[in-house]
Amino acid sequence: MQTLTVGLSERSYPIHIGSSLLTQAELLSKAIPRKRVAIVSNTTVAPLYLEKLKNTLQSIGVSSVEIILPDGEQYKNSDTMNLIYEALLTHRCERTTPLIALGGGVIGDMTGFAAASYLRGVPFIQIPTTLLSQVDSSVGGKTGINHPLGKNMIGAFYQPQLVLADTDTLNTLPDNELAAGLAEVIKYGLIRDLPFLEWLEQNMDKLLARDTVALQYAITRSCQNKAEVVAADEREIGERALLNLGHTFGHAIESGMGYGVWLHGEGVAAGTIMAADLSQRLGWISAEDVTRIRTLFERAKLPTVAPDLGVEKYLNWMGLDKKVEGGKMRFVLLKKIGKAVVYGDVPPVLLQQTIEACTRG
Ligand code: NAD
Ligand code: GLY
């Protein structure tokens, strides 16, 4: 097992990464003040891992309230949040009852938001079970839900007390969901870790074959990158925005197509190609760099051409991005491979060219 720390002074917390962690009660016990927790999961993950988690908790005398939600990005909304609140109230969960998120990023984001808001804040534990949630969403405290007018628009920064990434859970993950997680892994290499990007180029086949050593390394290195960024800029005043490479375009794809039609990681992959294309049009990176990036995403079995929503729709959705400042769109772009910046002065004609060049009907 590897343990990293997200350094946020009194709110610092560990990320444990390894095999069989779901059975290790001692990792959980410190974060559970009384002998009761509420586990939030969904109809896909609960049949796979809920019993195991409950047994581990029972071994240290902890009982569980179970809250099983419908599965899917299309349920990451206020109606589903209400189901969580209702269950917590019905079972009289108290301020000392931690919420445990058992699932992917959708469950993690909603459970975190419920923990931030129920009784004005209760403890929160992340047990991420997708590659994407193990390398990204479970770390850093961004929680929330979608709104019909925009992705992840309602939420709170609220840090967990503990992240437990049991790599065994990835054995049951469908191939397209594994690939979606790789999009966020590649992101760290592109924005700030060139040696990791080179490692990914050398080890992509092992990752796709679910080689346990390679996966554990990729998760740990990703979490190291994320923990460093979050510790430096928890509330995204500056550097943390770089973690959104490909997301301005990607969120437009997800919202424009209807939540759940494109996976988040798929939108990030096609969106990153758009960001790379725009960076090239600005003269920052070369055509060879863009090809290098596209090749890596293709090897990860991710889409590199975005859907043709039309330029106007892209601009409308991107105008709702959380990075918009004073009505001006800001993009995460590549100065070079391994170094991203936030840039607010993209000439509209270049943006239009990128949308036209990178989309297909
Ligand atoms: P997800 O939560 O929808 O999970 C993907 C699918 O895999 C679901 O059907 C889920 O039920 C299933 N699943 C989960 N674990 C499984 C397992 N071990 N075996 C088999 N099936 C399993 O999607 P995701 O990719 O994990 O997360 C995407 C979400 O995360 C998006 O809503 C995105 O906005 C959010 N996100 C948040 C942050 C953040 O910082 N908070 C960062 C990145 C993404
Ligand atoms: N996934 C982007 C962030 O956590 O900031």
Side-chain angles (χ1 to χ4, degrees):
M1 180 178 87
Q2 304 261 356
T3 299
L4 307 171
T5 302
V6 183
L8 291 166
S9 8
E10 74 288 350
R11 287 174 297 108
S12 296
Y13 55 94
I15 309 168
H16 301 299
I17 302 159
S19 174
S20 296
L21 302 194
L22 269 180
T23 57
Q24 295 187 31
E26 68 282 5
L27 297 177
L28 286 159
S29 59
K30 264 196 243 143
I32 303 175
R34 297 266 186 278
K35 294 286 176 192
R36 198 157 85 120
V37 297
I39 304 172
V40 183
S41 192
N42 71 22
T43 49
T44 304
V45 179
L48 294 168
Y49 300 111
L50 181 61
E51 210 49 41
K52 195 180 251 185
L53 177 60
K54 273 172 50 185
N55 288 341
T56 301
L57 291 165
Q58 267 162 19
S59 75
I60 48 171
V62 174
S63 67
S64 321
V65 169
E66 296 162 28
I67 305 172
I68 310 302
L69 304 177
D71 181 12
E73 184 74 37
Q74 65 274 34
Y75 297 107
K76 189 179 168 183
N77 58 28
S78 52
D79 288 346
T80 312
M81 286 301 297
N82 264 330
L83 296 179
I84 305 180
Y85 296 134
E86 265 170 41
L88 294 172
L89 288 163
T90 304
H91 289 93
R92 296 174 189 263
C93 291
E94 301 173 356
R95 278 211 169 123
T96 51
T97 311
L99 303 197
I100 301 184
L102 177 69
V106 169
I107 287 294
D109 282 12
M110 283 197 294
T111 307
F113 190 32
S117 46
Y118 180 66
L119 304 181
R120 301 198 180 93
V122 298
F124 165 43
I125 296 170
Q126 285 272 22
I127 305 190
T129 60
T130 61
L131 180 61
L132 186 140
S133 55
Q134 295 189 354
V135 300
D136 192 349
S137 63
S138 64
V139 176
K142 276 192 184 175
T143 72
I145 54 172
N146 301 326
H147 187 277
L149 294 181
K151 170 100 181 113
N152 291 340
M153 280 298 173
I154 317 292
F157 286 99
Y158 194 69
Q159 301 293 341
Q161 309 230 317
L162 164 70
V163 180
L164 203 73
D166 186 334
T167 50
D168 294 348
T169 59
L170 302 181
N171 293 331
T172 54
L173 199 62
D175 286 343
N176 64 334
E177 297 289 354
L178 186 84
L182 290 172
E184 303 280 17
V185 173
I186 293 169
K187 170 185 82 178
Y188 295 112
L190 289 173
I191 63 171
R192 71 193 302 273
D193 192 350
L194 182 57
F196 184 37
L197 191 85
E198 289 162 353
W199 182 91
L200 288 169
E201 288 174 325
Q202 282 151 20
N203 291 277
M204 185 52 72
D205 297 340
K206 283 191 187 163
L207 291 171
L208 288 173
R210 302 181 194 226
D211 176 288
T212 48
V213 177
L215 273 174
Q216 167 120 3
Y217 178 78
I219 296 165
T220 305
R221 184 83 174 233
S222 298
C223 286
Q224 268 162 353
N225 272 293
K226 179 131 191 197
E228 279 172 26
V229 173
V230 169
D233 179 23
E234 182 184 10
R235 297 180 78 90
E236 201 168 304
I237 311 297
E239 184 187 354
R240 185 163 181 173
L242 302 181
L243 295 173
N244 289 315
L245 176 68
H247 286 59
T248 307
F249 295 107
H251 284 167
I253 295 170
E254 283 187 82
S255 309
M257 293 298 284
Y259 297 126
V261 177
W262 273 55
L263 299 182
H264 176 73
E266 293 173 341
V268 168
T272 300
I273 300 301
M274 295 172 90
D277 179 277
L278 191 50
S279 307
Q280 186 202 340
R281 286 176 200 279
L282 286 161
W284 295 352
I285 63 173
S286 66
E288 291 72 34
D289 289 333
V290 179
T291 303
R292 180 178 172 187
I293 296 167
R294 183 180 292 110
T295 303
L296 188 57
F297 280 113
E298 282 170 357
R299 286 184 59 209
K301 313 257 185 268
L302 283 160
T304 53
V305 180
D308 186 7
L309 305 171
V311 171
E312 206 171 313
K313 253 196 179 178
Y314 267 103
L315 295 178
N316 279 342
W317 285 115
M318 292 191 304
L320 285 163
D321 187 72
K322 287 186 282 312
K323 287 184 294 305
V324 169
E325 241 177 45
K328 198 163 153 186
M329 273 187 243
R330 297 184 313 135
F331 292 87
V332 182
L333 298 173
L334 293 170
K335 273 282 175 188
K336 57 181 182 179
I337 293 185
K339 178 153 180 48
V341 294
V342 178
Y343 189 63
D345 289 315
V346 171
V349 63
L350 295 191
L351 181 56
Q352 181 167 341
Q353 284 170 7
T354 285
I355 295 169
E356 285 168 353
C358 297
T359 57
R360 192 165 50 214

